[in-house]
């Protein structure tokens, strides 16, 4: 079970009516009162007189599902929201009416695992977990915002507040959106800065033990909600960490691995070893270029073309493997590299130098980072000096203007969904790099909502808060990347899996699929909406398709991202045509 569909409509007039009613269908929410709808399989928890809580909610103390959240009746909406994020976690949105002030507030949980979007009609403000429901609620078709799409393509790894649909934006996780119908304000309730390192830190062994306990509790909570699960397993650190946490919590799980037909992307030896070691059922699926459909959209129905197009084949293979194992949902380790601070820079050295002095930084973290990056000591010392002299950049987002038309290369600056690049990190400037890593994962995390039966539990609030508080140098202790995650379950994982520092991927499959469908992909872009709307440089795209795959390098992935954006825009056009008919 993995669903979370709701839509809420609030009249656009001064003073929200004090009554929030429940509607029978999404197209019935726009009325005189604030009104909401949830799907039958969307869980809820009671907030008593304080409102409604939609989604999955767990107690921070017990990690058990809660059906009711006791909140003092006299408590203000903002105080109630702070109590929620302090004492509970999960994937949820809270609807909190304030009859006294004639306002209504929405709290989006800090993890980002339950995205909430905001749209607007002439008469109502609409909030929903599903972009499709926004259009359904207002009875009008949503249109592609070509300027927003061009900005998305310039910063494809940055999740922006603005969606790529006209008039639709995403609410920032951990904030309280307060609406009076004709006025709105956003109040931060959960702040990433509150969890960054301060003062004395625990020992490496104590931190590893705490991470282990948190992971076991968090994963057990989700499997209690979902039931038996399959894990997309590569034998790498992140999926192995997830499997070990499930095994330690005595959860029922199986392992699925996907492999390329050649050895370059076949991780099944490690994945099978991991499954056998942990006593889990195992199945293997092989990528097949015939499974990739160039006109299929992996991001269909979403507010942005944020998923990679080849994931349609991945989704199908994982669903087949999950069915074979008798599981209803697939968990993945997406976001693990980012959460576990997989840095390749001098940031950990500089952070430790500023906090513990030159001895620890130069004699412990310097050689650790040389091992992690594979560079020599003089090179790393130069990088450290450069970072010390030049400071650090708070803007980690270099634009990618490849293959875009000149008119689409706007001067607009993107507005991040989570503006963590502006946070003060005290004596830990490397935490800006860590925060940027987590921000880069936001498009690739599977949350509690529409889409494939996938979920990314590593991004849960307890793990997020803990990892933010770990100094950057701790993650490279002993010269291994993600060292703390490795140490957390060192007793449960095979040594050959535990010591891996890299892994293969589906690159050969992606390039073969590209070559197999090159003519179709080329025509899609050259004769498509992106070209018609002046988003892409048609001549540059045509030239890119003439190059051999080996010479294109990352350009293959750029072309496939443009194809996904093309298929996504066409999917919204088809949806509009169906609605109109």
């Amino acid at each position: 079970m993995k669903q979370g569909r709701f839509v809420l409509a609030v009249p656009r007039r001064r003073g929200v009516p004090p009554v929030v009613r429940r509607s029978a269908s999404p197209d019935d929410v726009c009325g005189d009162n604030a009104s909401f709808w949830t799907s039958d399989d969307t869980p809820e928890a009671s907030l008593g007189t304080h409102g409604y809580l939609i989604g999955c909610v767990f107690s921070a103390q017990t990690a058990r599902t809660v059906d009711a959240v006791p909140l003092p009746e006299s408590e203000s909406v903002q105080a109630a929201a702070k109590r929620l994020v302090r004492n509970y976690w999960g994937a949820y949105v809270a609807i909190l009416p304030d009859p006294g002030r004639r306002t209504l507030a929405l709290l989006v949980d800090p993890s980002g695992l339950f995205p909430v979007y905001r749209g607007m009609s002439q008469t109502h403000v609409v909030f929903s977990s599903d972009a499709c429901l926004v259009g359904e609620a207002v009875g009008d078709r949503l249109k592609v915002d070509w300027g927003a799409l061009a900005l998305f393509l310039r910063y494809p790894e940055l999740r922006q507040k603005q969606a790529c649909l006209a008039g639709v934006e995403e609410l920032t996780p951990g904030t309280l959106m307060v609406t009076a119908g004709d006025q709105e304000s956003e109040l931060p309730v959960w702040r990433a800065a509150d969890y960054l390192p301060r003062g004395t830190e625990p020992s490496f062994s104590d931190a590893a033990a705490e991470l282990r306990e948190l992971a076991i509790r968090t994963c057990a909570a989700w499997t209690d909600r979902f039931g038996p699960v399959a894990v997309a397993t590569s034998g790498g650190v992140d999926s192995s960490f997830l499997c070990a946490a499930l095994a330690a919590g005595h959860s029922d799980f199986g392992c699925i691995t996907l492999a390329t037909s050649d050895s370059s992307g076949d991780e099944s030896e490690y994945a099978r070893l991991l499954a056998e070691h942990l006593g889990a059922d195992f199945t293997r699926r092989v990528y097949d270029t015939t499974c990739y459909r160039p006109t299929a959209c992996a991001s269909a129905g979403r507010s942005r073309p944020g998923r990679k197009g080849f994931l349609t084949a991945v989704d199908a293979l994982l669903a087949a493997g999950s069915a074979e194992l008798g599981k209803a949902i697939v968990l993945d380790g997406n976001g693990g590299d980012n959460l576990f601070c997989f840095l390749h820079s001098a940031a950990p050295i500089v952070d430790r130098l500023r906090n513990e002095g030159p001895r620890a930084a130069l004699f412990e973290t310097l050689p650790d980072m040389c091992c992690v990056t594979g560079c020599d000591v003089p090179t790393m010392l130069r990088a450290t000096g450069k970072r010390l002299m030049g400071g650090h950049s708070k803007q980690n987002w270099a634009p990618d203007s490849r293959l875009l038309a000149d008119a689409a290369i706007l001067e607009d600056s993107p507005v991040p969904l989570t503006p963590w690049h502006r946070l003060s990190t005290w004596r830990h400037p490397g935490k800006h790099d860590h925060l940027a890593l987590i921000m880069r994962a936001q498009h690739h995390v599977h949350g509690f909502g529409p889409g494939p039966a996938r979920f990314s539990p590593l991004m849960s609030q307890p793990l997020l808060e803990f990892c933010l508080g770990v100094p950057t140098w701790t993650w490279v202790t002993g010269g291994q990347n993600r060292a703390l995650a490795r140490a957390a379950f060192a007793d449960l994982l095979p040594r050959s899996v535990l010591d891996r520092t890299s892994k293969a991927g589906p690159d050969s499959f992606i390039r073969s699929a590209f070559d197999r469908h090159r003519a179709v992909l080329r025509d899609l872009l050259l004769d498509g909406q992106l070209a018609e709307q002046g988003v892409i440089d048609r001549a540059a795209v045509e030239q890119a398709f003439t190059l051999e795959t080996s010479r294109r390098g990352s350009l293959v992935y750029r072309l496939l991202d443009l194809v996904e954006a093309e298929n996504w825009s066409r999917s919204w056009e088809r949806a509009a045509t169906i609605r109109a008919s």
Side-chain angles (χ1 to χ4, degrees):
M1 184 277 294
K2 185 190 82 83
Q3 278 295 318
R5 302 190 75 220
F6 90 97
V7 60
L8 164 73
V10 182
R12 290 181 63 187
R13 61 175 184 268
R14 182 173 297 277
V16 175
V19 177
V20 179
R21 69 180 180 89
R22 187 184 295 271
S23 293
S25 64
D27 56 8
D28 187 41
V29 294
C30 290
D32 294 336
N33 293 317
S35 178
F36 76 98
W37 169 89
T38 62
S39 62
D40 292 338
D41 53 359
T42 298
E44 296 183 40
S46 171
L47 287 177
T49 59
H50 268 277
Y52 305 89
L53 202 156
I54 300 167
C56 298
V57 189
F58 307 104
S59 164
Q61 184 174 7
T62 67
R64 297 291 182 88
T65 299
V66 296
D67 298 319
V69 175
L71 296 172
E73 289 192 16
S74 61
E75 196 165 49
S76 70
V77 165
Q78 192 167 359
K82 289 182 178 180
R83 183 184 297 272
L84 275 171
V85 300
R86 184 173 62 248
N87 297 326
Y88 302 90
W89 62 273
Y92 65 84
V93 59
I95 301 174
L96 302 167
D98 187 342
R101 290 184 170 83
R102 294 183 67 81
T103 62
L104 185 146
L106 272 78
L107 169 67
V108 183
D109 94 83
S111 69
L113 289 171
F114 195 22
V116 177
Y117 303 96
R118 170 191 169 279
M120 192 174 293
S121 71
Q122 292 185 343
T123 58
H124 288 80
V125 184
V126 178
F127 303 92
S128 180
S129 57
D130 185 340
C132 295
L133 290 177
V134 175
E136 191 171 342
V138 302
D140 195 9
R141 68 190 185 100
L142 296 179
K143 299 178 181 178
V144 175
D145 184 327
W146 298 104
L149 181 58
L151 194 60
F152 167 85
L153 291 172
R154 285 198 77 204
Y155 299 91
E157 295 300 314
L158 174 64
R159 195 169 181 104
Q160 302 174 38
K161 276 191 69 68
Q162 176 62 48
C164 297
L165 297 168
V168 176
E169 67 175 31
E170 186 173 350
L171 303 189
T172 298
T175 61
L176 192 67
M177 166 62 81
V178 180
T179 177
D182 61 337
Q183 298 179 39
E184 292 180 342
S185 60
E186 280 192 281
L187 305 173
V189 174
W190 181 94
R191 298 176 175 85
D194 293 341
Y195 299 93
L196 298 179
R198 291 287 191 273
T200 304
E201 305 302 328
S203 67
F204 182 83
S205 59
D206 287 346
E210 185 176 353
L211 177 58
R212 178 190 179 109
E213 180 60 26
L214 278 175
I216 293 171
R217 285 161 54 90
T218 300
C219 291
W222 285 118
T223 53
D224 284 347
R225 166 60 68 180
F226 294 140
V229 299
V231 179
T233 308
S234 66
V237 172
D238 307 322
S239 60
S240 298
F241 177 93
L242 179 55
C243 288
L246 291 168
H250 307 290
S251 298
D252 184 355
F253 74 100
C255 296
I256 308 170
T257 194
L258 306 184
T260 55
S261 56
D262 65 322
S263 61
S264 69
D266 188 351
E267 302 283 353
S268 54
E269 176 186 347
Y270 292 101
R272 188 186 304 277
L273 175 63
L274 175 69
E276 291 175 351
H277 191 80
L278 297 176
D281 292 336
F282 174 80
T283 188
R284 175 179 181 267
R285 288 290 186 277
V286 178
Y287 291 108
D288 185 346
T289 56
T290 61
C291 295
Y292 171 70
R293 294 181 295 139
T295 57
C297 181
S299 310
R302 296 177 179 240
S303 64
R304 315 172 182 87
R307 299 187 80 217
K308 303 298 182 183
F310 69 87
L311 288 177
T312 55
V314 173
D315 294 340
L317 291 172
L318 289 177
S322 179
E324 179 189 331
L325 294 172
K327 315 299 184 186
I329 188 170
V330 176
L331 303 187
D332 60 45
N334 287 13
D337 287 356
N338 314 68
L339 194 67
F340 300 146
C341 200
F342 194 173
L343 291 176
H344 273 78
S345 73
I349 304 171
V350 172
D351 282 6
R352 196 165 191 186
L353 181 64
R354 292 185 171 182
N355 284 271
E356 297 187 359
R359 181 174 181 81
L362 297 179
F363 290 96
E364 295 181 32
T365 305
L366 173 63
D368 283 345
M369 284 311 301
C370 288
C371 288
V372 168
T373 61
C375 77
D376 57 31
V377 170
T379 301
M380 187 57 71
L381 282 173
R382 285 193 294 271
T384 302
K386 183 177 180 180
R387 194 174 179 98
L388 283 169
M389 295 297 293
H392 68 281
S393 172
K394 291 190 177 183
Q395 174 55 267
N396 294 279
W397 309 99
D400 185 354
S401 299
R402 292 176 300 165
L403 306 181
L404 297 183
D406 289 342
I409 303 176
L410 309 174
E411 296 301 323
D412 297 349
S413 297
V415 178
L417 177 65
T418 50
W420 293 339
H421 58 291
R422 294 197 294 263
L423 293 181
S424 170
T425 56
W426 196 46
R427 294 186 306 195
H428 295 261
K431 275 294 171 179
H432 277 289
D433 299 57
H434 190 191
L435 288 163
L437 275 179
I438 298 172
M439 291 168 69
R440 289 180 188 278
Q442 290 171 338
H443 279 314
H444 311 295
V445 169
H446 294 96
F448 184 69
R454 300 266 295 282
F455 193 74
S456 307
L458 295 185
M459 293 304 291
S460 298
Q461 182 181 340
L463 292 172
L464 174 63
E465 291 173 351
F466 173 83
C467 291
L468 286 176
V470 175
T472 54
W473 66 82
T474 302
W475 292 106
V476 297
T477 299
Q480 284 189 310
N481 60 59
R482 298 162 289 176
L484 202 64
R486 298 174 193 271
F489 292 104
D491 60 322
L492 290 182
L493 297 175
R495 177 55 58 181
S496 60
V497 170
L498 193 64
D499 290 341
R500 296 187 72 193
T501 57
S502 63
K503 64 179 182 181
D507 185 72
S508 63
F509 158 72
I510 295 169
R511 291 178 182 274
S512 295
F514 182 92
D515 282 338
R516 179 185 179 93
H517 300 285
R518 183 191 320 209
V520 176
L521 296 170
R522 176 183 178 277
D523 291 345
L524 269 171
L525 287 180
L526 297 185
D527 301 327
Q529 294 186 351
L530 296 183
E532 181 182 342
Q533 296 292 331
V535 175
I536 59 174
D537 183 335
R538 195 175 183 280
V541 168
E542 187 171 19
Q543 174 64 24
F545 273 102
T546 66
L547 301 176
E548 293 297 326
T549 304
S550 59
R551 293 177 56 201
R552 292 192 194 101
S554 64
L555 203 57
V556 166
Y557 291 91
R558 179 60 166 175
L559 287 167
L560 289 173
D561 283 348
L562 296 180
V563 168
E564 177 65 9
E566 177 66 35
N567 286 330
W568 175 84
S569 64
R570 293 188 185 197
S571 72
W572 280 104
E573 186 65 29
R574 285 193 296 271
T577 302
I578 292 171
R579 175 175 288 277
S581 62

